[in-house]
Amino acid sequence: MQQPFLMRTRGYHDSAEYGCISPPRVKAEAYSAEELRNRQANAGLLQLVSAYRRYGHLSSNLDPLGIQKSELLDELSAGMYGLGKDSGVFDIKGIVAPSNDLPPSASLSAIVSALQKTYCRNISYEFEHIESRAVRQWFAHNVESLGSLDASPRYARYHELLSKVEIFEHFMQKKLPNVKRYGLEGSEAIAVLLDQIIYEGARQGIVDVVAGLSHRGRMSLLAALFGYPKDELLRKLRGGSEFPDGSPWTGDMLVDLAKPGTVRYDDLDTTVNIDVLWNACHLESGTPVGMGKSRIKDINIARSKKNKSHTIGDHVLAVSVHGDSSFAGQGVVAESLGMSGLAHFTNGGTVHVVINNQIGYTTPASHTRMTRYASDIAKFADIPIIHVNGEHPEELARAAHLAVAYRQKFRKDVVIDVWTFRKRGHNEMDEPTFTQPAMYSAINKRVSAPAKFEEKLISSGHLTKDAANSVKLEWLASLNEAFAASETCTAKEPVRASRWKLLGSSTSYPVEKTTGVSIDTLYEVGVKSVAPGDSVKVHPRIERFHIKPRLKRLQDGHAVDWATAEALAFGTLLKEGYNVRLSGQDVGRGTFSQRHAMFVCQDSEKVYVPLNHMDADQSTQSSGQQQQQGKLEVVNSNLCEEAVVGFEYGVAVEDPFTLTIWEAQFGDFYNNSQTIVDGYIASGEIKWGQQNGLVLLLPHGFDGGGPDHSSCRIERHLMLSNDPVDDHPVALPNIYVAYPSTPAQFFHLMRRQVKRNFRKPLIVAGPKTMLRLASATSLLSEMGPGTRFKPVLDDPTISDPRAVKRVILVSGKLYYDLAKLKSEHPLGQHAAIVRVEELSPFPREELYSVLSQYTNASDFVWVQEEPRNSGAYAFAAPRVKRLLPVHAEMRYVGRSEHAATCSGVETQQAAEHAELTRCAFEGLRGLVADLVIDNISIQHDQHQSLDEPVASVISAEVSHRWSNRQIYAAQSSDQ
């Protein structure tokens, strides 16, 4: 059943299913008969008003430098529509909204004056491109009826923020002139805009804001608005760490700095929590992270409050600050905007703020985009845009008011394009006149926006000179005090979120528990995983090839396949109260039609997820207490990778008790998300102390699919691992990388991911051919009580380890091809195939335990499908070498170095595969002959019969050739 707070939903085809949350649908207001008659009678006036709504922004005064001139458009001329001075008085009902400046009946000049004031001043709007008439109606009515927003009650707050930002920038330029801080000079009023956005949100019930900041102005905003301790901030600016001395975290660049904060509004008696995002340096990559984090944060708040009337975005507002060139140029922006309104990705709307300083590093806007505005990319996603001159705080307040009101009404994204400039170039070490002499000639002549606003407030009587000076002197004194304290202060650890407090810290001792489940529970979950609802008509092929075979295997006690083991992992976690979010392209049925986690009714297209209906009352008994069953969210994502993986990372860092999985259709598809993998998943913890348990399922295997459908680039992930080559231990590696070869191993991997007392990212080289390989199956007993994931699997066919002369090390599906060849080889009993199931952390202790039993082995081989410059060989070789007997080496068998992952010619790939598997057993006869010769001497000395099998005549006295070396176990011992 649907959770009560998620009832306002839309499913796969307009049906309700867990997590499918669409923004509320708002109907356009119908015109009354009188309004329709008036519109028809005054068609010329209607055309004029429509022209202002569509083109008014082209005649607005947006550029504070005056370089970009407004245009005088014929479309805004009344004469274009047959109107003149003698047109008389118009009834404006149904044509333009009345306001304080425009009564219900008005002359043409009064109407034109109101339209000019509304659409062609220091603020303007673009909303006519939006498909929804309800949105266009709402925007026109609110823009036209609002008139001049009275922001005077907050003027003192605006002055305070502007003064603080300006003084902070001047202070930094004086004290630390050689530090690149990417200052906010020229864009100081951004602080006013962000504060007003938060204030407007607080007025409407927002309690948390997830804030993604750009490089520009981050230092000023952290200090002046978000309450970052100034002594700690200055310690960082002076080259210190944002973490306490002795912290294991390395910290990050100044412009990526973050720390949770709060903003207090006494007039509302409200405090808003500000979750400032850590941000990888790559431009705009944090946008989808904030979307995912804010969505799950909002849902969890609703859960905790048991809010039955919850609409997504009720409690949490996402604000994302962008640079103009990056907003227009970075593809992840388009990806994020494109998925912002999708049912499984919506967060109730993000307010996007573009700091438009009209230049990208040194490149003018005319060379960075083809469109007029940096914000034009948002139009494809039906997002309204508010343009505003950044030197007018009152207009910024108006923009914030409208943006938040729109977001709260429609729960969709909105963009505020703030036209500003940067006073000191790209950073404080730049010389901008090298490339923009005219622009900086204009900039250097200007009085600052804070100074102009202060003068305006004093002259209008809203502020006294003494009060203004008092604010500035107090702030300057606090900065001087903080600067002195920064020499000796100790940074404090960021406060851990409540959910993360339930887990151990990254530096605490890891606890690994068994992950097996009772056989009865496994059987029950397996049966219910393919039980369609009473009203769901399942496709006959699914009934024949998916449901019936699974039930038969379970009922007959036979080994189960990969998809069944996955369903058992998910289902048992759900019964224990965990949630599972499975995201990716076509994950519902699975790329290879193996999963079928959701059934689509063949009559109604209604979606049914069996695992969400395992218990009629949605609860189960655990430890004598009633426990709410978790939910499986099946997310068929849009066709993008970077933004979706970033979104899922945001979910994973916000909620450690949701098993968050992103699955690629093919392993190579993760390439487009490499920024998120590098900047967040692999390095987020060491930089920021921010754990996450995101799982990447990357189908991998050389099955004739060609270069871009074969490899998940295992080598890339292993290169990102900080697992040491030598015996110097690390607490835990930054990422776990596994290539499991059995369904049971995968089952335990999934359950282990959330049963631990810590979280680490998990990269799984997933199966393709193994999904339906008859030999790649597992008994329920392998997932039963007391069982767990095994980082190394020994050869199950070896009866006497002393008979083994060659040890073949392999990972993943290649094992089954090698095992088949071994079974057919006349000397196969003398070769052991050892599977390395987990590559990072490298299982030193477990592998040593297996290898050291093969006391007569003299030949060690690593076999892989991937080319030598790919795959796990380069990572594994030096680590295996440290485990081998003295003077022993490990040979490589596999494809030679290749620029692509593999050949695109299927016959060539098949021939290479046949050759490398043959080479794995080549020369085995000579090794066995050496073994026989060695033991003839032993037999002669001991007078044993030569008729006995070789394995039985090996003396236990044979010298053990393995050195007594200490093995560092990167995996913790079981607790």
Side-chain angles (χ1 to χ4, degrees), residues 636-655:
N636 287 318
S637 70
N638 56 331
L639 196 65
C640 76
E641 285 87 32
E642 183 177 358
V644 174
V645 175
F647 188 100
E648 303 307 333
Y649 174 84
V651 171
V653 297
E654 178 62 30
D655 189 355

Side-chain angles (χ1 to χ4, degrees), residues 935-957:
N935 283 281
I936 286 175
S937 174
I938 297 172
Q939 292 169 8
H940 177 75
D941 293 341
Q942 298 180 350
H943 306 289
Q944 291 181 314
S945 171
L946 293 179
D947 295 331
E948 295 183 50
V950 170
S952 67
V953 297
I954 298 175
S955 170
E957 303 295 325

Side-chain angles (χ1 to χ4, degrees), residues 70-237:
S70 59
E71 299 179 26
L72 298 176
L73 301 177
D74 290 340
E75 285 82 358
L76 302 184
S77 169
M80 285 280 291
Y81 310 104
L83 302 173
K85 295 181 180 179
D86 58 349
S87 297
V89 175
F90 291 91
D91 182 349
I92 65 172
K93 286 194 297 290
I95 297 176
V96 61
S99 66
N100 294 335
D101 300 322
L102 191 64
S105 295
S107 66
L108 178 62
S109 61
I111 294 171
V112 170
S113 177
L115 290 173
Q116 283 280 341
K117 186 176 180 181
T118 300
Y119 290 106
C120 302
R121 51 179 179 175
N122 299 318
I123 185 171
S124 61
Y125 316 90
E126 290 188 272
F127 56 84
E128 284 292 295
H129 60 277
I130 295 175
E131 180 182 356
S132 168
R133 184 161 68 91
V135 170
R136 298 196 306 273
Q137 268 186 346
W138 183 92
F139 237 95
H141 177 80
N142 279 269
V143 166
E144 293 161 6
S145 64
L146 185 62
S148 298
L149 178 70
D150 183 14
S152 59
R154 305 204 74 231
Y155 279 172
R157 171 69 171 174
Y158 300 165
H159 173 265
E160 176 191 357
L161 289 171
L162 289 169
S163 298
K164 284 183 173 180
V165 168
E166 184 172 49
I167 291 170
F168 180 87
E169 295 291 354
H170 290 173
F171 185 85
M172 291 299 105
Q173 193 63 22
K174 179 181 179 181
K175 296 287 189 179
L176 302 168
N178 296 322
V179 175
K180 296 179 183 179
R181 65 182 185 275
Y182 300 87
L184 205 57
E185 291 174 280
S187 307
E188 296 94 342
I190 290 295
V192 171
L193 175 63
L194 292 178
D195 180 70
Q196 189 70 30
I197 289 170
I198 299 167
Y199 180 82
E200 296 287 348
R203 290 177 58 191
Q204 301 199 45
I206 295 297
V207 296
D208 277 83
V209 169
V210 174
L213 304 181
S214 64
H215 292 177
R216 177 115 2 244
R218 182 179 287 249
M219 298 295 101
S220 299
L221 294 171
L222 289 175
L225 180 57
F226 296 133
Y228 199 111
K230 293 188 291 297
D231 55 347
E232 294 185 31
L233 186 62
L234 288 163
R235 164 186 157 113
K236 178 68 176 177
L237 281 157

Side-chain angles (χ1 to χ4, degrees), residues 891-916:
R891 297 189 296 113
Y892 168 80
V893 171
R895 289 173 167 86
S896 62
E897 291 78 1
H898 202 271
T901 56
C902 66
S903 169
V905 179
E906 188 173 355
T907 53
Q908 180 180 340
Q909 185 165 316
E912 291 172 352
H913 185 81
E915 177 64 12
L916 75 88

Side-chain angles (χ1 to χ4, degrees), residues 416-450:
I416 304 175
D417 175 25
V418 187
W419 286 58
T420 65
F421 58 88
R422 59 188 198 199
K423 184 175 180 179
R424 300 186 188 276
H426 184 61
N427 59 62
E428 289 66 33
M429 306 299 291
D430 188 20
E431 178 46 75
T433 57
F434 286 165
T435 47
Q436 277 76 37
M439 173 182 278
Y440 277 87
S441 175
I443 289 172
N444 292 332
K445 296 174 183 177
R446 299 187 66 79
V447 176
S448 72

